[in-house]
């Protein structure tokens, strides 16, 4: 008797290895592999431009792995999946769980509709080391501070054995698919501003494998300290691969810890594992506090006097602030779709505290420009740096881009992304506005011609930000 066909709905799990839903579906019998671009239910969080570039190439890589048999569609899964089930005589649907609020709501509705018509729906975890409902306080409430969240996760242990598995080799249902199915999604912008992304990343499962191997070979041994230095290759750069599910976080966690034990660098691998748990913390916060994407978690910030200023915002977006580390970070973002984490904190602090622009403006820009744009991580990180989130940096903690440049030796990083300053020596490249005219002339730097003077004074803008914060506190006490 021929096995009943089933449907495997790929989402944020674009891989064959360590994919529990795919393994379950393949075990059940022949499958119809499907990806659906859902711009219907995702509003207002449709994928940004950089993420769409990545998705296009990640789907292309997965399609090749599936012998060009991946069905790629666009629309509302609430309508598409029941129609596919009817067309292909499918009785079982498999998917891996997603955790953004809009996805969770959609999936609950879809599962109810499918089961009411007699179809079987099986969901699995392929994306998180610790799902939100499995790491709560003793009273059943979610954590709002990272350290106890981390300690509880470690005390319970990370379940690896039940998730890790070999790559699936499923039997596929024959389907007549158009040759231009990916192009039809229209994921790639006509303005090819992302032409240089391939210099830094290779979307797809094979690219993720190589990124992990390179990090374990060259980066993790100096991770704990090196991760703060933008000019070093001490970070994994796995975040886009993790976000699109091209590699299991369980595998990354397991292999990094095993390598740490093998090389005697447990402190480095443990610290890297701790950073992976930060991602889990962000997902837990967004799961239990879904309004975070638009609202301050600390509601006392609701009356903060953000100052909408388009010229200042544009200067920040385009890397024309006159502060080389900020400008290098913003240009790295535009040119590569990525920004070093230390620099993300600096540019975020500069926007919300020195420029007094609303953190939501920064979150939206990052959402459109980051290849690893992740609703949970992006939202929680921006609220953290703005001082209004869970376990947030105090508002009065303001990252000075000049002292940060000096402390973390960013000269090489600045020269890479702000080439007009490349000839300045290390002493003056962090603050060209303070350099002697002779040094500027020798380096062919002409302030306000080929590089801007600072758009705000750091001391004055810091005092203004702290004054606004004190006024907010006074109003809240009244």
């Amino acid at each position: 008797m021929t096995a009943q066909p089933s449907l495997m709905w790929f989402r944020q799990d674009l891989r064959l290895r360590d994919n529990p839903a795919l393994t379950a579906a393949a075990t059940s019998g022949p499958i119809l592999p499907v990806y659906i671009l859902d711009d219907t239910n995702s509003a207002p969080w449709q994928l940004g431009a950089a993420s769409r570039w990545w998705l296009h190439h990640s789907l292309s890589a997965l399609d090749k792995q599936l012998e060009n048999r991946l069905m790629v569609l666009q629309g509302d899964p609430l309508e598409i999946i029941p129609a596919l089930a009817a067309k292909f005589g499918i009785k079982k649907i498999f998917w891996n769980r997603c955790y953004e609020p809009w996805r969770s709501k959609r999936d609950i509705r879809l599962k109810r509709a499918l089961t009411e018509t007699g179809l079987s729906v099986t969901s699995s975890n392929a994306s998180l080391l610790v799902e939100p409902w499995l790491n709560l306080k003793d009273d059943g409430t979610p954590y709002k501070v990272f350290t106890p969240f981390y300690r509880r996760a470690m005390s319970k242990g990370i379940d690896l054995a039940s998730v890790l598995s070999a790559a699936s080799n499923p039997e596929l249902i024959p389907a007549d698919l158009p040759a231009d199915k990916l192009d039809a999604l229209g994921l790639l912008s006509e303005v090819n501003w992302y032409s240089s992304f391939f210099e830094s990343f290779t979307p797809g499962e094979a690219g993720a494998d190589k990124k992990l191997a390179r990090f374990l070979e060259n980066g993790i041994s100096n991770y704990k300290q090196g991760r703060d230095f933008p000019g070093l290759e001490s970070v994994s750069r796995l975040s886009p691969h993790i976000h699109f599910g091209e590699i299991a976080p369980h595998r990354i966690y397991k292999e990094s810890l095993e390598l740490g034990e093998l090389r005697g660098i447990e402190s480095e691998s443990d610290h890297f594992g701790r950073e992976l748990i930060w991602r889990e913390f962000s997902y837990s916060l967004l799961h239990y506090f879904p309004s975070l994407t638009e609202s301050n978690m600390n509601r006392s910030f609701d009356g903060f006097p953000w100052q909408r200023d388009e010229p200042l915002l544009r200067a920040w977006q385009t890397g024309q602030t006159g502060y080389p580390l900020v400008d290098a970070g913003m240009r790295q973002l535009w040119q590569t779709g990525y920004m070093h984490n230390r620099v993300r904190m600096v540019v975020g602090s500069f926007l919300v505290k020195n420029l007094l622009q609303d953190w939501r403006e920064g979150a939206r820009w990052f959402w459109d420009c980051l290849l690893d744009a992740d609703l949970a991580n992006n939202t929680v990180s921006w609220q953290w740096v703005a001082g209004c989130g869970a376990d947030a940096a105090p508002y009065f903690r303001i990252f000075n881009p000049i002292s940060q440049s000096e402390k973390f030796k960013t000269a090489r990083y600045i020269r890479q992304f702000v080439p007009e300053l490349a000839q300045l020596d290390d002493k003056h490249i962090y603050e060209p506005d303070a350099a002697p005219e002779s040094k500027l002339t020798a380096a062919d730097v002409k302030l306000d011609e080929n590089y801007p003077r600072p758009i705000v004074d750091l001391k004055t803008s810091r005092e203004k930000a702290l004054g606004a914060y004190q006024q907010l506190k006074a109003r809240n006490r009244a």
Side-chain angles (χ1 to χ4, degrees):
M1 180 182 294
T2 304
Q4 191 77 33
S6 60
L7 186 149
M8 169 61 196
W9 181 18
F10 284 95
R11 293 115 68 82
Q12 292 170 308
D13 54 351
L14 306 181
R15 65 181 187 268
L16 301 189
R17 179 178 175 179
D18 305 326
N19 191 323
L22 179 59
T23 299
T27 302
S28 177
I31 69 168
L32 178 69
V34 177
Y35 180 88
I36 303 170
L37 177 63
D38 185 357
D39 284 334
T40 303
N41 297 287
S42 58
W45 296 107
Q46 293 96 339
L47 291 176
S51 294
R52 286 175 181 263
W53 174 88
W54 188 288
L55 177 61
H56 176 93
H57 294 289
S58 185
L59 288 174
S60 178
L62 179 64
D63 189 35
K64 290 179 182 177
Q65 290 179 288
L66 293 172
E67 301 174 354
N68 301 317
R69 305 281 282 280
L70 176 65
M71 181 174 285
V72 179
L73 303 170
Q74 184 171 12
D76 189 347
L78 293 164
E79 299 175 357
I80 292 174
I81 289 183
L84 289 175
K87 179 178 180 179
F88 290 93
I90 287 169
K91 297 298 182 183
K92 298 179 180 180
I93 293 94
F94 296 84
W95 67 60
N96 290 305
R97 289 186 284 276
C98 297
Y99 305 90
E100 293 90 340
W102 71 266
R103 293 184 194 269
S104 297
K105 290 179 181 178
R106 177 200 63 190
D107 292 352
I108 290 171
R109 289 176 59 199
L110 178 58
K111 184 174 183 178
R112 183 184 301 119
L114 292 172
T115 54
E116 285 177 353
T117 60
L119 300 181
S120 166
V121 177
T122 302
S123 67
S124 305
N125 169 29
S127 301
L128 294 180
L129 298 172
V130 184
E131 292 186 290
W133 45 88
L134 297 179
N135 200 47
L136 299 170
K137 299 179 185 178
D138 290 337
D139 63 3
T141 61
Y143 288 98
K144 297 181 182 180
V145 178
F146 172 71
T147 299
F149 177 90
Y150 173 74
R151 288 173 177 166
R152 171 59 67 93
M154 291 299 96
S155 68
K156 297 177 69 173
I158 305 298
D159 183 12
L160 299 175
S162 65
V163 178
L164 295 170
S165 63
S168 296
N169 184 25
E171 179 186 352
L172 304 176
I173 297 175
D176 186 18
L177 304 177
D180 64 345
K181 57 187 177 183
L182 274 174
D183 293 336
L185 291 184
L187 291 168
L188 299 182
S189 169
E190 293 181 2
V191 180
N192 191 14
W193 61 276
Y194 36 62
S195 59
S196 61
F197 287 2
F198 274 125
E199 296 176 12
S200 302
F201 294 100
T202 303
E205 188 168 8
D209 290 345
K210 291 179 181 178
K211 214 68 162 179
L212 175 61
R214 181 175 178 177
F215 172 63
L216 295 180
E217 180 65 28
N218 302 314
I220 198 169
S221 60
N222 186 41
Y223 180 80
K224 190 172 182 178
Q225 288 188 326
R227 64 183 294 270
D228 280 322
F229 291 78
L232 300 180
E233 294 293 330
S234 297
V235 294
S236 73
R237 298 197 178 204
L238 280 164
S239 51
H241 297 288
I242 296 173
H243 174 69
F244 285 94
E246 298 167 351
I247 189 168
H250 304 78
R251 177 184 166 201
I252 299 170
Y253 185 82
K254 180 175 184 290
E255 292 191 14
S256 63
L257 292 185
E258 288 177 346
L259 186 73
E261 294 178 2
L262 181 64
R263 292 187 185 174
I265 53 170
E266 289 93 341
S267 63
E268 306 293 337
S269 59
D270 286 348
H271 198 82
F272 178 65
R274 182 183 176 92
E275 294 303 314
L276 288 176
I277 303 298
W278 261 106
R279 175 175 177 268
E280 313 290 312
F281 182 54
S282 296
Y283 270 89
S284 177
L285 287 173
L286 187 58
H287 177 78
Y288 288 107
F289 307 98
S291 64
L292 280 181
T293 55
E294 295 294 344
S295 303
N296 299 311
M297 186 164 186
N298 182 350
R299 300 312 295 264
S300 67
F301 271 79
D302 287 355
F304 191 87
W306 304 112
Q307 299 181 6
R308 178 75 179 182
D309 190 311
E310 287 292 345
L312 288 182
L313 179 61
R314 187 60 180 164
W316 176 82
Q317 291 172 338
T318 57
Q320 296 290 332
T321 69
Y323 290 99
L325 181 56
V326 174
D327 294 340
M330 299 308 295
R331 296 186 196 185
Q332 181 189 25
L333 174 63
W334 184 256
Q335 294 171 25
T336 71
Y338 176 85
M339 190 191 301
H340 189 277
N341 188 63
R342 167 60 54 175
V343 187
R344 294 189 197 199
M345 292 189 288
V346 173
V347 304
S349 174
F350 186 81
L351 179 71
V352 300
K353 295 173 181 177
N354 294 103
L355 301 185
L356 283 179
Q357 303 301 294
D358 194 322
W359 64 266
R360 282 159 281 232
E361 295 286 356
R364 280 290 182 182
W365 185 253
F366 272 30
W367 180 257
D368 201 40
C369 297
L370 278 173
L371 292 169
D372 63 10
D374 183 286
L375 193 57
N377 285 342
N378 191 48
T379 300
V380 171
S381 295
W382 272 100
Q383 291 225 32
W384 179 88
V385 80
C388 58
D391 204 8
Y395 185 81
F396 52 79
R397 182 184 182 187
I398 300 176
F399 289 86
N400 183 306
I402 297 172
S403 60
Q404 289 281 306
S405 291
E406 295 168 343
K407 181 177 181 180
F408 297 109
K409 300 178 174 59
T410 63
R412 176 184 173 188
Y413 176 78
I414 291 170
R415 290 189 178 100
Q416 180 179 358
F417 293 104
V418 191
E420 58 265 45
L421 302 179
Q423 300 307 312
L424 274 176
D425 58 78
D426 287 6
K427 180 179 179 180
H428 297 102
I429 196 171
Y430 304 137
E431 191 179 6
D433 185 55
E437 190 62 37
S438 59
K439 293 288 186 180
L440 295 174
T441 301
D444 195 28
V445 176
K446 301 175 182 178
L447 296 178
D448 283 339
E449 292 187 29
N450 63 357
Y451 188 72
R453 294 183 188 275
I455 57 175
V456 293
D457 177 74
L458 290 180
K459 182 179 180 181
T460 302
S461 59
R462 183 179 189 276
E463 291 173 350
K464 185 177 180 180
L466 293 178
Y469 179 57
Q470 291 302 323
Q471 292 175 16
L472 176 69
K473 290 175 64 178
R475 286 197 301 271
N476 288 333
R477 286 196 300 266

